[in-house]
Amino acid sequence: MATAAVQTVQDVPSAPHSGPPGQPDISYQPDFDKYVARIKRRTETEDLSKTLPPGFPQKLDSKLVWDGRTLAETYDWNYKLTDEDLIEVEAALQHFKSTGLAVGLVSQETFPLPELHKTLREISDEIHNGHGFKVVRGVPIDSHTREENIIIYAGISAHIAPIRGRQDFKKDGKTADVVLAHIKDLTPKVSFGKIGSPAYTREKQVFHTDVGDIVALFALGEAAEGGQSYLSSSWKVYNELAATRPDLIRTLAEAWPFELFGLADQPYTLNPLLDFQPATDKHPERLVIQYARRSFTGYWGLPRSVDIPPISEAQAEALDALHFTAEKYAASLDFHKGDIQYVNNLSIFHARAGFVDSEEKQRHLVRLWLRDPEFAWKTPEFQQDRWDRVYEGVNPANSILPLEPFLRTASTGSSIEDDKPLHLKYTLEKGGNDSQPSYQEASGAPVERNSPLGYTVGPVTIIFLNISKMIGTGVYSTPSAVLRGTGSVGLSMIYWALGFLISISSLSVYLEYASYFPNRSGSEVVYLEQAYPRPRWLFPTAFAFQAVALSFSSANSIVLAQYLFRMTTYTPTDWQLKGVALAGYTAAFLVVAFHTRISYWISNGIGIVKVITLVFVAVTGLVVLGGNVDRIPDPKANFRDAFDGAPTAYGLNIALYRIIFSYAGFENAFNVVNEVKNPIKQIRRNGFTSLIIVTLLYIFANIAYFSAVPKSQLINAKETSASLFFSAVFGQSNSLRALNFLIALSSFGNLIAVLLGSSRLIRECGRQGVLPFPRFWASTKPFGTPLGPYTVKYVLTIIMILAPPAGDAFNFLTDLQVYPTAAFNLAMGVGIYLVRWRRKRAGLNKINKAEFKAWDVIVIFNILLHVYVLVMPWYPPVGGIYAGNVSFFYATYVFVGIGIVIPKWRGYRLRQEVLVLEDGATSHRVIKVPVAELEQWDATHDAVGRAITNLTSETGSEKIGITGGSLEKDQSQVRTGDPEK
């Protein structure tokens, strides 16, 4: 509702009649009665031509000829941005902001819209070769700052027409390429005597054209009343006049005295209003009418000069004829806030109704003059100079899109602050993986809008990334350890089923985190960073140290070597075993180092072999259990008195560790979230699928083992449970060697899957900025792979293969990796509740609802589980502190794990800075800032660490990221711009 402060259209004074001696009685606002009288007078007193100029068509036939009164029946001129479009636009906005570039550098490349681009190109084709106009609707104005809205406007427009035209040569008295203008009522601040265009009043604007190929208008605000936008086909107007008044077509094709306001050395120029371009072998016929009524009538602060020739009576009638004919066939556009109107300036007239503003609602448009080289029409020769002034020599790097002084601080949108108790700031981020935009605390690593690692992870790869990491050495090597720990076959089987519940609870926690941060790879790195943002970098530093220090895969490499030797009858020495392990890991490293997509293909292929192998084991076990293998006379022996045996507290804990180790990998796909299109839906579906497949295979594999191998043999075995099974069923045959090869291949696939997943995790640690040399970790050069993390993992794995004693290496390293991982998993479980609470406090759930939320009972189970895993290792085994599963102190891994979880931390005055690498990768770099320079640093960098330009708006109080200012600043800008505007 309008308030008492409403301005009315009626209180706008009429512009006075002006002009040189002999000027007809005509003013800016057309007078229909005068128009009819002039027609009558001229047709009665003059011999008007009955023919068109030579070469001009009797009638134009094209989609550009339309009647606005009926056009809506056959043409929908609105394109409503879809939810998917808006997600893509938001992502492009965040990507552009992450570059730190000036707004003048918004382009198709810096504001990428991979899917929407095609639609916008079709709109450009429609503008040039179809009906001549389109309205893009639904930009969420109120969710963004003024600067962000301008970036979105320029970004979308860049995909429709990439060249922005100059609208003014000066800004604040200095030479500049001003490519954006604000169109609004200035009369509350500027008197009518100083305004030379109706664009800056609330008065009606008559039909006219601007300068340039495409006129784009973006509605930042609506009027309280009125302000409708009108469009009319100039080709329809031509057809009407060509059929009824060919003399006026002749008049329009003659030279007219255009006033050049403000140019003392050339007060006017002689040009026609109309140009016809016959069809050629490259282009269809085209007709262009270009005019602004104000150039011949003047307007308030810019009256028509008395020192230039007057227009003729015929020209006065032609001006009225253009307006009233255009008005007759006009389409009225329902133009709302958030709409962008694109109009072919060479084929369409546009106008505006008068309007009323209120304190709550003010009409406010911003304008661009655009050009699309692909579809551009040939510029009329008589307009070439004007077009050159608009488009020639505009330097995007130095162009200005002024914000004007009406900056708004958004309560929702790109950033939200939560001042208490931790002083957090959330920024809206969007990846290029079709995920919804998400808020993350600003200290987090910058989101990569376009993943430098690509988007090649689909459903099959998700399933086999998880399967290939889960099915490695665990199910073949740990069943004997689980049996020893639990003491009985029955409890052992329960533990393997319990592994599913443990994994599914953790998977649910991971999935909820991923739904909050769906555009970041690296799983735990991201989730701990966001769950515990204060003290800054404490958890990222601790986890990064653990992730790098324990990133070796020596245990699985050793098991790979063991199974390769079991293909032969040769018993290797420790160093021979280590040598083969080293060679195997080197081969895995070479597979992943040179090509991301191929490494995924190889991982998938080996994953399929793994599943087939375990299916074979399971089926063979069922055959054995059915009594169909003569070598095994009593296959059900282990299942009688299945719970016979007494477990110990230490044994149960070790068994649980082995189960957790065997299922480790259910989370692998979370390490590559930013490489997955629609990640939450895909990982939820395919992550659960992979876990169910593996659980069934594990249970049936254990049934197979127990059906063929006596319990006593399994308890006393080391890492070769599967070999005992194959020997019992097949004996020492070629089949046994082949099956051992398949298990070795399975171990090799596990190495590849772990390399793929953990390299992304380590890379994300590096992108947080807490590791030295951030470029080394984040870069994907030269092969498009995370070579830095791969190399570090390779070096550490080789060291851990060669250094520890071979006999204890597998058990110790397995336990060592589980303990600190359990500590961080406990922190993640608790952190879910912290994230939920902070999001609710900041109001994020209302504007950015997560796609998945874990049940509380599952989260609590997950928390209690990891408390148990952390507490129970302190309970010593039966027989004393040296009676564990290694030859040294049983809890060595606990102390080493604690040392890894709690690194030495020193407090610094640190700040983060965004780095943009040559391959498009982005990273943080944490730097020390002297206290004396701290205020300056904070003033020139945003919360994420992107550099901003410290400039002031006209009020002198706003700090903004691009040049501020307004057409209101300098009166000359209002008076000397485009003749109509």
Side-chain angles (χ1 to χ4, degrees):
M1 177 180 291
T3 67
V6 166
Q7 302 158 332
T8 64
V9 178
Q10 286 71 25
D11 63 10
V12 177
S14 299
H17 169 72
S18 63
Q23 179 82 354
D25 181 13
I26 186 172
S27 61
Y28 174 78
Q29 292 294 345
D31 185 317
F32 187 74
D33 292 337
K34 291 182 179 179
Y35 170 53
V36 172
R38 184 171 281 114
I39 292 174
K40 183 175 184 299
R41 184 169 60 252
R42 291 195 64 234
T43 54
E44 291 176 351
T45 61
E46 298 182 35
D47 184 15
L48 304 178
S49 176
K50 300 296 190 295
T51 61
L52 295 170
F56 277 60
Q58 291 292 332
K59 184 178 181 181
L60 296 168
D61 186 13
S62 167
K63 287 183 179 179
L64 290 169
V65 179
W66 45 261
D67 184 340
R69 298 170 297 182
T70 58
L71 182 61
E73 299 172 6
T74 57
Y75 175 55
D76 182 3
W77 55 72
N78 296 313
Y79 176 77
K80 179 70 168 64
L81 292 169
T82 65
D83 291 342
E84 291 78 12
D85 293 338
L86 291 174
I87 289 172
E88 196 168 348
V89 168
E90 193 65 43
L93 169 65
Q94 299 305 326
H95 170 74
F96 180 81
K97 290 174 66 177
S98 72
T99 66
L101 297 172
V103 178
L105 293 175
V106 172
S107 66
Q108 292 183 14
E109 292 71 30
T110 61
F111 195 90
L113 299 171
E115 302 300 327
L116 183 56
H117 173 81
K118 179 181 178 182
T119 299
L120 298 179
R121 296 306 301 146
E122 291 171 352
I123 289 175
S124 182
D125 189 20
E126 177 67 32
I127 292 168
H128 290 85
N129 303 309
H131 293 85
F133 72 100
K134 200 79 175 180
V135 178
V136 175
R137 316 198 74 169
V139 175
I141 295 290
D142 294 331
S143 296
H144 298 92
T145 64
R146 175 60 51 77
E147 178 184 357
E148 289 170 337
N149 281 319
I150 297 301
I151 293 171
I152 291 171
Y153 173 40
I156 292 175
S157 299
H159 290 265
I160 288 178
I163 299 175
R164 290 188 288 272
R166 179 191 294 110
Q167 300 192 49
D168 211 319
F169 289 89
K170 289 188 176 184
K171 172 69 176 65
D172 294 334
K174 299 178 181 179
T175 300
D177 291 331
V178 181
V179 298
L180 181 140
H182 292 261
I183 310 299
K184 62 182 300 166
D185 179 22
L186 303 187
T187 55
K189 296 183 178 181
V190 182
S191 69
F192 273 92
K194 295 182 178 180
I195 294 177
S197 169
Y200 304 108
T201 74
R202 55 192 176 278
E203 189 179 28
K204 168 184 176 181
Q205 273 188 285
V206 302
F207 283 98
H208 64 280
T209 60
D210 280 13
V211 183
D213 292 5
I214 299 175
V215 178
L217 292 170
F218 181 31
L220 294 177
E222 298 178 49
E225 296 179 30
Q228 292 86 353
S229 177
Y230 299 111
L231 302 181
S232 190
S233 165
S234 62
W235 288 33
K236 179 68 173 178
V237 171
Y238 173 87
N239 282 354
E240 173 93 351
L241 295 181
T244 61
R245 292 294 302 275
D247 62 298
L248 293 181
I249 298 297
R250 284 183 172 271
T251 299
L252 293 170
E254 296 170 354
W256 289 52
F258 278 81
E259 178 156 9
L260 303 176
F261 297 99
L263 298 181
D265 57 336
Q266 186 183 2
Y268 72 97
T269 183
L270 293 172
N271 285 318
L273 272 61
L274 183 152
D275 178 70
F276 175 68
Q277 302 170 2
T280 67
D281 55 350
K282 294 183 179 180
H283 303 289
E285 64 177 359
R286 284 170 175 161
L287 181 129
V288 177
I289 302 177
Q290 288 292 285
Y291 87 107
R293 187 179 179 98
R294 188 175 67 105
S295 299
F296 309 105
T297 65
Y299 185 84
W300 275 105
L302 289 177
R304 187 165 174 83
S305 173
V306 296
D307 298 323
I308 63 176
I311 62 173
S312 66
E313 284 290 324
Q315 290 171 333
E317 184 190 352
L319 285 178
D320 282 344
L322 289 177
H323 174 78
F324 287 115
T325 308
E327 191 174 61
K328 175 181 176 182
Y329 296 114
S332 176
L333 274 62
D334 196 13
F335 201 28
H336 293 293
K337 183 167 67 172
D339 291 354
I340 309 175
Q341 175 182 283
Y342 295 97
V343 174
N344 184 335
N345 188 56
L346 300 174
S347 68
I348 289 180
F349 301 138
H350 60 281
R352 181 200 72 200
F355 63 90
V356 172
D357 279 344
S358 68
E359 290 183 358
E360 294 82 9
K361 300 183 72 174
Q362 292 92 39
R363 191 176 195 271
H364 185 180
L365 309 182
V366 283
R367 181 185 66 196
L368 293 170
W369 288 336
L370 305 172
R371 183 175 179 85
D372 181 1
E374 180 179 354
F375 297 126
W377 291 17
K378 178 183 177 183
T379 304
E381 292 184 8
F382 68 88
Q383 294 286 0
Q384 191 63 59
D385 288 345
R386 298 181 74 205
W387 259 242
D388 289 345
R389 288 198 299 273
V390 170
Y391 294 118
E392 289 296 316
V394 176
N395 183 355
N398 297 321
S399 63
I400 296 175
L401 286 77
L403 295 180
E404 69 140 6
F406 307 104
L407 293 173
R408 177 183 61 83
T409 301
S411 59
T412 62
S414 64
S415 64
I416 293 178
E417 294 190 25
D418 185 5
D419 292 336
K420 295 178 181 179
L422 300 179
H423 302 286
L424 303 178
K425 184 170 184 177
Y426 300 95
T427 59
L428 188 63
E429 305 289 349
K430 177 70 174 69
N433 59 351
D434 294 340
S435 64
Q436 66 176 4
S438 63
Y439 283 90
Q440 72 168 35
E441 210 283 321
S443 62
V447 167
E448 291 180 308
R449 171 59 183 88
N450 289 307
S451 170
L453 295 169
Y455 299 100
T456 57
V457 180
V460 173
T461 302
I462 291 172
I463 289 174
F464 285 108
L465 268 177
N466 290 352
I467 286 178
S468 290
K469 187 175 179 183
M470 284 188 280
I471 303 177
T473 58
V475 70
Y476 301 118
S477 303
T478 61
S480 57
V482 174
L483 180 59
R484 277 195 305 273
T486 58
S488 67
V489 172
L491 190 55
S492 172
M493 293 299 297
I494 290 174
Y495 260 53
W496 283 101
L498 180 62
F500 173 76
L501 297 178
I502 294 170
S503 300
I504 205 168
S505 69
S506 295
L507 177 62
S508 298
V509 171
Y510 276 78
L511 193 58
E512 181 171 345
Y513 272 112
S515 68
Y516 295 139
F517 316 108
N519 39 44
R520 295 272 303 279
S521 294
S523 61
E524 297 104 313
V525 182
V526 182
Y527 309 152
L528 289 166
E529 162 203 282
Q530 293 297 310
Y532 302 95
R534 299 293 184 273
R536 277 193 176 187
W537 305 298
L538 176 58
F539 262 82
T541 302
F543 188 83
F545 182 77
Q546 178 260 354
V548 175
L550 297 185
S551 64
F552 47 82
S553 297
S554 52
N556 289 341
S557 300
I558 290 170
V559 173
L560 166 64
Q562 287 174 336
Y563 275 96
L564 288 174
F565 276 110
R566 284 195 171 272
M567 294 168 55
T568 70
T569 58
Y570 182 76
T571 301
T573 65
D574 282 354
W575 283 103
Q576 287 173 331
L577 191 69
K578 291 180 178 183
V580 173
L582 189 154
Y585 195 73
T586 299
F589 168 78
L590 293 176
V591 166
V592 300
F594 296 107
H595 200 283
T596 293
R597 179 175 293 180
I598 291 176
S599 62
Y600 282 136
W601 288 345
I602 294 174
S603 175
N604 293 347
I606 296 177
I608 293 172
V609 174
K610 290 184 177 194
V611 171
I612 292 173
T613 302
L614 270 184
V615 168
F616 177 81
V617 170
V619 172
T620 302
L622 294 177
V623 171
V624 171
L625 197 62
N628 299 306
V629 177
D630 294 338
R631 297 171 59 89
I632 304 171
D634 189 6
K636 299 179 181 178
N638 286 334
F639 298 101
R640 299 189 190 98
D641 298 322
F643 290 93
D644 181 41
T648 65
Y650 175 78
L652 289 175
N653 185 67
I654 290 298
L656 187 62
Y657 268 42
R658 294 295 182 271
I659 292 294
I660 292 174
F661 174 80
S662 297
Y663 277 92
F666 68 86
E667 82 295 342
N668 204 25
F670 291 97
N671 288 319
V672 297
V673 165
N674 201 30
E675 299 173 53
V676 182
K677 291 290 187 178
N678 196 1
I680 307 307
K681 178 181 178 181
Q682 292 291 350
I683 294 178
R684 178 174 56 191
R685 176 191 301 158
N686 299 297
F688 283 119
T689 299
S690 64
L691 185 54
I692 291 171
I693 291 172
V694 168
T695 300
L696 292 174
L697 291 174
Y698 279 3
I699 290 175
F700 279 104
N702 275 273
I703 291 173
Y705 298 155
F706 291 133
S707 69
V709 183
K711 177 181 175 181
S712 58
Q713 280 187 262
L714 283 170
I715 286 179
N716 294 321
K718 288 294 183 179
E719 299 88 24
T720 56
S721 303
S723 292
L724 290 175
F725 169 75
F726 293 143
S727 297
V729 176
F730 299 105
Q732 296 298 321
S733 64
N734 291 331
S735 298
L736 176 61
R737 285 191 288 272
L739 288 170
N740 278 321
F741 170 75
L742 290 176
I743 295 176
L745 183 63
S746 177
S747 299
F748 182 73
N750 174 269
L751 296 178
I752 292 176
V754 171
L755 274 164
L756 288 168
S758 62
S759 65
R760 272 64 173 176
L761 184 147
I762 295 172
R763 180 176 182 269
E764 200 67 14
C765 290
R767 292 201 326 109
Q768 289 176 319
V770 297
L771 295 175
F773 316 114
R775 291 179 181 273
F776 171 79
W777 305 104
S779 176
T780 59
K781 286 191 171 184
F783 307 116
T785 62
L787 195 58
Y790 283 153
T791 302
V792 169
K793 280 181 62 65
Y794 178 75
V795 171
L796 287 174
T797 298
I798 297 308
I799 292 173
M800 295 305 294
I801 287 173
L802 299 177
D808 290 328
F810 181 81
N811 290 330
F812 172 73
L813 295 177
T814 299
D815 295 339
L816 176 62
Q817 288 178 315
V818 169
Y819 195 82
T821 299
F824 284 114
N825 283 338
L826 173 61
M828 283 179 55
V830 175
I832 277 288
Y833 288 104
L834 296 177
V835 171
R836 289 178 182 177
W837 175 71
R838 287 198 295 264
R839 284 176 59 86
K840 182 178 180 180
R841 176 187 176 88
L844 298 182
N845 292 332
K846 296 179 180 179
I847 58 176
N848 189 221
K849 187 176 181 180
E851 295 182 56
F852 179 88
K853 184 177 180 180
W855 293 343
D856 285 332
V857 65
I858 290 179
V859 178
I860 293 171
F861 171 78
N862 188 263
I863 292 171
L864 295 177
L865 167 73
H866 289 106
V867 169
Y868 173 85
V869 172
L870 290 173
V871 171
M872 286 307 295
W874 296 100
Y875 193 91
V878 176
I881 61 174
Y882 297 105
N885 65 335
V886 291
S887 59
F888 39 87
F889 176 52
Y890 83 99
T892 302
Y893 70 94
V894 177
F895 288 100
V896 175
I898 291 173
I900 289 170
V901 173
I902 308 177
K904 190 172 184 180
W905 176 261
R906 296 179 179 178
Y908 294 108
R909 288 296 185 94
L910 302 176
R911 290 295 185 269
Q912 61 192 27
E913 179 181 39
V914 173
L915 296 178
V916 181
L917 280 61
E918 296 80 2
D919 56 358
T922 60
S923 174
H924 270 154
R925 173 171 57 192
V926 179
I927 63 174
K928 298 178 184 179
V929 179
V931 174
E933 300 174 11
L934 205 58
E935 183 177 354
Q936 180 183 2
W937 172 270
D938 290 340
T940 56
H941 293 78
D942 66 12
V944 178
R946 306 181 185 100
I948 60 175
T949 304
N950 189 9
L951 299 173
T952 58
S953 70
E954 292 190 343
T955 63
S957 60
E958 297 281 358
K959 292 180 179 178
I960 57 179
I962 61 172
T963 303
S966 160
L967 291 177
E968 299 178 34
K969 178 76 173 181
D970 189 334
Q971 178 181 309
S972 65
Q973 289 180 291
V974 180
R975 291 172 54 87
T976 63
D978 172 66
E980 181 59 34
K981 299 296 186 184

